[in-house]
Each structure stands twice: as structure tokens, then as C-alpha cells.
Amino acid sequence: MKIHELTAAYTRGETTPSRVTNEYLERIAKLDDKVGAYITVTAEQARSAARAADDRYRVGRPLGPLDGAPITLKDVFCTKGVRTTCASKILESFVPPYDATVTERLAKAGAILLGKANMDEFAMGSSTEHSALRVTRNPWDLTRVPGGSSGGPAAAVAAGLAAGGLGTDTGGSIRQPAAFCGVVGLKPTYGRVSRYGLVAFASSLDHPGPFGGDVLDTALLLGAIAGHDPNDATSIDAPVPNYAAELDRDVRGLRLGVPDEYFIDGMDPEVERTVRAAIDVLKAQGATLERISLPATPHALATYYVIAPAEASSNLARYDGVKYGLRVPGHDLIDMESRTRAAGFGAEVRRRIMLGTYVLSAGYYDAYYGQAQKVRTLVRREFDAAFSRVDLIVAPTTPNVPFKHGEKADPIAMYLNDVFTIPADMAGVPAISVPCGFTASGLPIGLQLIGRALDEATVLRAARAYERATSWHTRRPELAA
Amino acid sequence: MTARYDVVIGLEVHAQLTTRTKMFCGCPTTFGAPPNTQTCPVCQGMPGTLPVVNRRAIEYGVRTALAFNCRVNAACRFARKHYYYPDMPKNFQISQYEEPLAEEGRLDIDLADGASRTIGIQRLHLEEDVGKLVHEGTLETAQSSLVDFNRAGVPLMETVSKPEIRSPEEAAAYLRAFRAVLVYLGVCDGNMEEGSLRCDANISLKPAGAAELGTKVEIKNMNSFRNVQRALEFEVTRQTEALDRGQRIVQETRLWDADRGYTRSMRSKEFAHDYRYFPEPDLVPLELDAAWIEEIRRALPELPRARRQRFVAAYGLPAYDAALLTQSRALAEYYEAAVRDFPQPKLVSNWIMSELLRALPGDDERAIEHAKLTPARLAGLLRLIEDGTISGKIAKTVFETMLATGEEASAIVRREGLTQVADADALARMVASAIAANPRAVDDYRKGKTVASKAVVGHVMKASGGRANPAMVSKLVEEQLEKLTKR
């Protein structure tokens, strides 16, 4: 069920938030052993929040379109009193004393938190295989990965273990799992949604954003979490439009750019064919197509692997066993800190900390970090130039389909998965992935729409137009208990 | 000894700003609160927290920069400085690196011999303070350490001088002048013991007249003006002796041990930190509005040096008085208010220096500002002396009462009946009875010991409780003794 269908049913009195919440909790109990979407299930809090929502619907005063919506949060968002692990050993027992801004905003909108969803450790990865706590499986094929790093919430929404959710996208971490799991995932403009209470991976690239069963749900979730936050100095102070209200306008005359660099040798031919067909659907709706070029695209990936690890090495320095989380005793302070970090971080996190430490070192800073910032500016300028000619850029979300667990053991092979998603993170512009078909073997494929900064409305509107003309978003995987 | 070498010193001063809240969160900055009571997720470096710049701290930084004639940069930004230490919650400090708040300023200092010099200021930037470690026992023997994050995140302003200070004495003078400016500006309480003002020094020696600088040594842990001077004097001697022996100076950080009176090596350059600075991604670059900077400039108070010079010129005070009276803004203002009400500058100065400063520390802005004995009341007291209502001696006891109660001098004098006795008949009677009670004094006087009259005067003064007009008493005693001894 979609969130907008559930809340409509609550309003009509056909069901209640409590009944629906219990159904979701039962389904989690029955199916999550298979999927592995959750790290922590917050059944008691969910039931109590649902009862409060029941009362509001009973007196005809729901808080809004998310009241009673059962959702999940990637375990990277702080939840007061509920452990927030980042799928790591080092924060396995960390219970934040405060709520992230998005946690608070969703609660105020009446959304019901079912639990905290799995992810790659500290959001570093593209398959959720780097979770130190749990394996998450793709609901469409349990031998395959759900994508990552926000694999947990994507799998939960796909498997019907949550009606919606929030993830974070630093280098494709919302859109790629959305494509892999056949759900909608939106990475908003950098600064559109507050990062306060989101455990940082790479501060200048971390984007919190929603997962939905369809574009309308995604728009409703974005509406609840977007907007200026005085606790985040990088959050943008601009009015938040009513995204849902704008959604059903048609796309006639909308100019779509199709970038050469997003259709490359080595990509899965089924993905290319399916995405091109999806673009033709938008053309049939009245949008115009234009071939464009974004030559910095391949460099964005390399640049990302300088900037993101650099910031990560700094952000993760605080985990030293002194204040919270894991502490492994040692014979002195440095020994204690070293043992704690060695035991508390997984191989991928350690790799990126070392990489980041190296590129920030005296003598290497200019060659790596300084140079990477220049390339980042170039990527941003290319998008600016493109958006002077087109309203949206349309492309595949990923070059390939969900792979099998263990298939991409080589880090570089894993990193290449994000080649089409990383540029929008580097530029900070909004981008969405919507389901646009399936391979012959039944694996989902995602269409990516990238828009101008702060123009989520157009991104959502075009995605919705595509969705209305197709039925991919109504398909759900068969999962037997 | 040092004639063979030129001493080159640069000072880095860290000043805690007196903002109500911390640099990047809303926690209070109060000193001395129970451990970890002035903290929040942000200043504890909790996962997910973000910094937000305290506008008041920026204002204080700009105010100080303008007072030192610095160029305030229209755009500046914060950077992360990384090193692992348990008192630093994030294991990086938010500081400023390539784009500081202000650069290229100067501070004029005055030396004991009356000469003055201008010391260049290289840069001024803002950062956050770290917490405090509490060791059980000494650092070497402690089995465990505790961390107090109350201080973590308190705004710190770092000001780096150019290497233009030429002696330990100049270093102390620089620090005194620096502190006075900050206290005048109201941006720092200047308390070195509590650590509100901390100083590190870089010192090197080079052969006299040489152009090239010698190897520098950084000295830390000097927590008073005196210790800064002592530590640098020790270092000059140590380095001179080393150079004389033909040894090379090792670039290193040394700690001053005030109890033992020497510096010892803390870490050498081989173990120097690589701070891995990079621009703080959680904060946007700061753009300072030119109009706002102008507004701050217009509101700058008169600075200590200018005020001291004006006190000499306008009030005719000796340089010594002017220096003492301008040691804090509150004291200088106290003085000027008192002079307005009682326009005898030197007399007012004498009373403040000898009486007020005995009871109140002149460099303590708050103590002076909140003194119960206001400048107007002090002027009132001086008027009572001037018009002969009370003697100078009585005035001192009245002063003590005023300090404690804050009352008007006249009210105290009235209540305690301290008005000077200047009635000639009454005084004549008192003198007569004093002479009657001191037959020896009369004998002595007759024998030519004229000092005997002093004993009689003393007796009268004592009997009157100090209220008798001393000049009149002296005159009457002389007259009566003359009369008695002449027959």
C-alpha cells in the first residue's frame, strides 16, 4: 500500500494507523529474516505512536498527509533513545540523546517509525554488504544485493516492510538502491533537507532524502522534511513548495537532455534499452529531447574518491572509545584508541579513512584534495551550462542491474556502480530514480531524472508523468514466508 | 651576554571571549560550573551534530582586529585542524587556517625606560576551545583520567604577533598591552590564572646583526606575565650557552616548569603533528558586511594607550599615575567621573591609588564597576575635606565605611558625629584640660623642649576622637604653653 492510499483509508475510517502498524510489524516479524532490512525494530514506540494517530483520525484532526504512515529510517539518522548504529560495530550500542531534524519533522507530521534500517557501514558502499551487523537481500531476488548504501530502507519499501523511508545519498546511495529494489528514491538539492542528526560520512556530499512506493509518496515525504534548519549552517533558507500539489501538471514542452556520457560501453544492454524506451515515453507525453554532453562525468567518480574519503577521515576521527560507542581497553590512551578503531571499523571504512588521511596530508593536499575541488567545480559548471538549455537531464540510474552477494569483491568494481549517480552529488542538484522496467530475469531497472538546484518540483512532476503512463511502480516482489 | 646574539620572539595569544554562549552551540560559557553541566550534543562532538557560528564571537573578533588596526577580511572561513586528544570531542578543532578573520595589524608597547615600540600582528583568527582532562594524581601516575567538556567549544581568539619582539621584557610588555586592549574592548576578562588568556612563544637567537633567523623553539605553559618573562629569560640563557658551545638548536616544543624554573623538551619536530587542515564543510564561508564592520569601528572605545596619554595631557598627571589609572577601562572611567565632580585631578588620583586600589584590584573591570563607593560619593568625601568639615584622617575611616556600605560621606559623618571641631572656645577648653593632665609637658616646654607641645596636641586629638581641627589645636597649644611658661 502507498502512504497516500493508507491515509485516505484512515480518513474514510476503513482502517486505522494501529491496525496498519500491527500488520507491518507482523510482516516484518514474518519476512525480515529473509530480507534483512532492519537493524532495530521499534515495535513498542510504533504501536504507541499509532494509537495517538488513531485518536487524531477519530476526532477528524490528522496532522497531515503523513499522519499514521509507517516508515523506516536508515540507521544513520539519530533517534533519541533508540540506538543508531550506522551498521557499525563501533556504534553498535550508541543511543543518541537527541533526534535528527528529519526524525523530529517526520514525527511531527505523524509518521510512525517502525525501525532503523540496514546500510553499508557509515554509508560507505553500494551493496549494503559492508554492514557490520546484518545481510540485506534484494526482495526481487534474494541471492542479489539491494544496492547501497541505503539498501535497508529501499529493500523495506520494496518488500512491503515499510510504506516509505529515508535514506542518504552521498554518492548515489538513495538512487542506486531505489533502482535495484524497484522503488522511487529522491536525492534533494544539497541544503534542501537538514543534515543535523545525520551521522556524517562526507559532509559536503551527504544528502538526506526519501524513498517511496511511488512518486506521490516520495513528494509527500520530501514536503515534510524539506526546509531551513537553524541547526545546519549549510541548509538553504528558501520556501518549500507544495510538491504534491504541483505533481500532476503535464510535461508538454519540458526540454529533456540526454547525455552521451551516461550511455557507455560496458553497461548492461538491457538497462540501456529499457532506459531509452522510458525516455521515449516522456517524449510521447510531449517533452522534447536534446542530446547533450557532460564530459567531466567520468572524472567525477575519481574526484569523489578523493573528497568523500577526505571528509570521512575527519568526520570519523571522533570514534576513539573515549566518549561513546565501543571501547577496547589498551595499556595506554593511544593503544586504547588504536584497538578500538581497529576492532570497531570494517575493512571498507578503514580503507577510506586511510585514503582520506593520505590525501589531506601535508605535501599531498594540493595534488589531491585541492585538485579534486577544481574538478568538482567543473562538474558543477557543466550542469549549470546544461540547465541553460534543458529543464531536466534523463539517464539511467546505474549502468547495470543488481549483482549477486560477493560478486563485486574488488572495491573498484563496486565503485564503478556509482558512475551515473555521483555527478549529481558533486553538483548538489536534485535527482530521482523511478522504476522503468525489468530485465528478462525480473530485476528492476531505474530511470534517473536530474534537475536544477531547488527544482525538485520539476523532477517530481516529470517522474510522476512517467509513472502515470506506466505501471512498473505497481509491481511488487513475491515474498513467501 | 646577549650582545653577541639578537633575540627574536613571536607570541601567540589565545583569549577566551566573554560571549554568553559557546562558539558553535548555545551552551553557556560560565567558568567553574560542575563538570559536564555546560554541554550539549554539539560541544560533546556527538555523531550527527553540526556547528553554527556564534555571531557575537565574530563581532568580538572584528572589534579586536580593528583595535589592533588589522585588515578585516571581507570573506573568511573555518577549517578543521586534526589531532587526537581525549579533551577534544571531535578529534579535530574548528579553527581558521588559510583565510583568517583578520591580518596585518600592530600593537604599540611601552617599555620601562620610557621608550615605546610597535610590534606587528600577523593574524587574528577564531576557533573553539577544548575540554579539560582531570587526572587522578599526576599525569605520570594516574590510573585513569576524566574529561570535563564544559570548556569545549568556548570561543577562542588566537592572535599571532610577527617575530618582532626583541627581549623577554618586551614580550611581557606586549602581553600587558595586549591584555589591556582586550579588557578595554570587553571581549576577554584577561584572567591568566583561570586560563582566559594563554600565551605561547616562539623564540630564536641569531648572531647580532645577522639577517637570517635562527632555529626557533616553541615555549608553552606560561600562565602569567611574570612566567612569560622568566621562561623567555631562561630560554635566552639556554640557547646562548648552547650556541656558545657550538651546538645546534633543535626545533622543538618546550614546556615551562614554573616550580623548577626551567623549560623542558616536549616534542621535537620529527614528531610534529600533521594537522591535515581542510575547509570546514559544515560551515559556509563567512562574508562580513562592510557596513557592519564600520558600525563596530564607530563603537570602539578609547584604547588604553591613548587614554593614558590623554590623562597626562589633560589632567597634568604624572605618567605613573596615568598608567595605574588606565589599567582598566572601568578604573579610568571611575577616575574621570570623580574628577568631573571634584576637579582636582591629582588629589583624586592620590585617593584612588592609595585608598581605592588597596581595597579593589584595578584590573578587575567588574569589581570597579560594581564598587559600592561610587565616583560621585568619593567626590563628596573629598569635598568634606576641602571645606574643613572633616579632617583627612577622619576621611580615611569614613572611606572604609563607604567602601563597605556605599553610603554618602556626609551621612556617615553626621551619624557618627565626626564633624571636625573648629569652635575656638571648645578647643581652648580641651587644650586646657590636656595641659592640666600633662604637667611634665609644661615642665619640658619650660626647659626649652618645644617638641613637648606635640604630646599635648596628640592628647587633644585623641581625646576628641580625631575630630579636633589639627591646625587650630596646634596653635592653641602653643599659645597656652607660651602663656604658662612666660609668667
Side-chain angles (χ1 to χ4, degrees), chain B residues 179-287:
Chain B
R179 181 190 177 281
V181 170
L182 263 53
V183 172
Y184 259 59
L185 296 173
V187 300
C188 176
D189 67 22
N191 190 328
M192 286 191 87
E193 284 72 38
E194 286 178 9
S196 314
L197 199 69
R198 289 165 244 160
C199 175
D200 300 331
N202 282 303
I203 175 168
S204 64
L205 264 54
K206 62 180 170 72
E212 200 180 328
L213 290 176
T215 306
K216 70 177 176 184
V217 170
E218 187 184 14
I219 315 292
K220 286 181 177 290
N221 198 37
M222 305 169 288
N223 58 358
S224 69
F225 295 127
R226 196 174 123 68
N227 275 316
V228 168
Q229 190 163 343
R230 282 177 67 206
L232 291 172
E233 279 164 357
F234 175 87
E235 235 356 74
V236 170
T237 308
R238 187 187 72 84
Q239 293 187 25
T240 301
E241 287 169 3
L243 292 171
D244 283 350
R245 283 195 300 268
Q247 291 171 339
R248 274 182 50 233
I249 301 295
V250 180
Q251 183 171 343
E252 61 181 349
T253 300
R254 298 178 70 89
L255 279 188
W256 168 246
D257 185 328
D259 294 333
R260 300 195 173 96
Y262 64 67
T263 64
R264 62 190 155 85
S265 183
M266 184 173 143
R267 56 171 181 249
S268 72
K269 202 199 165 205
E270 288 93 279
F271 300 102
H273 286 296
D274 179 352
Y275 292 122
R276 290 179 286 119
Y277 282 102
F278 79 104
E280 166 58 272
D282 287 330
L283 293 170
V284 292
L286 218 56
E287 280 166 29

Side-chain angles (χ1 to χ4, degrees), chain A residues 134-294:
Chain A
R134 224 187 159 177
V135 174
T136 303
R137 301 178 186 284
N138 192 314
W140 296 92
D141 177 349
L142 297 176
T143 68
R144 291 174 189 270
V145 302
S149 65
S150 314
V157 174
L161 304 179
L166 295 190
T168 56
D169 194 317
T170 304
S173 283
I174 289 175
R175 290 160 290 155
Q176 185 254 19
F180 276 19
C181 290
V183 298
V184 180
L186 171 72
K187 180 199 85 73
T189 308
Y190 186 79
R192 176 81 287 190
V193 177
S194 168
R195 291 184 295 116
Y196 187 73
L198 147 63
V199 180
F201 159 19
S203 312
S204 74
L205 292 157
D206 290 343
H207 301 71
F211 285 103
D214 65 9
V215 174
L216 177 53
D217 278 7
T218 307
L220 293 173
L221 286 164
L222 176 64
I225 58 173
H228 182 244
D229 176 9
N231 287 328
D232 177 358
T234 63
S235 98
I236 297 171
D237 195 358
V240 178
N242 184 343
Y243 296 112
E246 292 282 297
L247 220 49
D248 285 323
R249 274 176 49 208
D250 63 38
V251 294
R252 230 169 310 194
L254 211 60
R255 297 166 301 170
L256 309 182
V258 186
D260 288 346
E261 292 79 6
Y262 284 65
F263 297 88
I264 53 172
D265 286 346
M267 72 186 289
D268 188 319
E270 272 190 290
V271 172
E272 173 160 9
R273 204 178 321 125
T274 308
V275 169
R276 290 214 186 267
I279 294 170
D280 285 339
V281 170
L282 284 169
K283 189 180 172 194
Q285 303 272 304
T288 62
L289 302 186
E290 185 174 336
R291 194 174 153 187
I292 62 167
S293 179
L294 298 166

Side-chain angles (χ1 to χ4, degrees), chain A residues 43-66:
Chain A
E44 275 321 298
Q45 286 109 310
R47 289 199 182 95
S48 125
R51 282 192 294 275
D54 291 351
D55 293 342
R56 293 192 291 269
Y57 278 100
R58 199 174 304 124
V59 298
R61 295 174 71 178
L63 294 169
L66 291 183

Side-chain angles (χ1 to χ4, degrees), chain A residues 99-114:
Chain A
D99 271 330
T101 298
V102 293
T103 307
E104 203 178 274
R105 287 185 180 177
L106 283 180
K108 277 198 181 128
I112 292 161
L113 179 66
L114 296 170

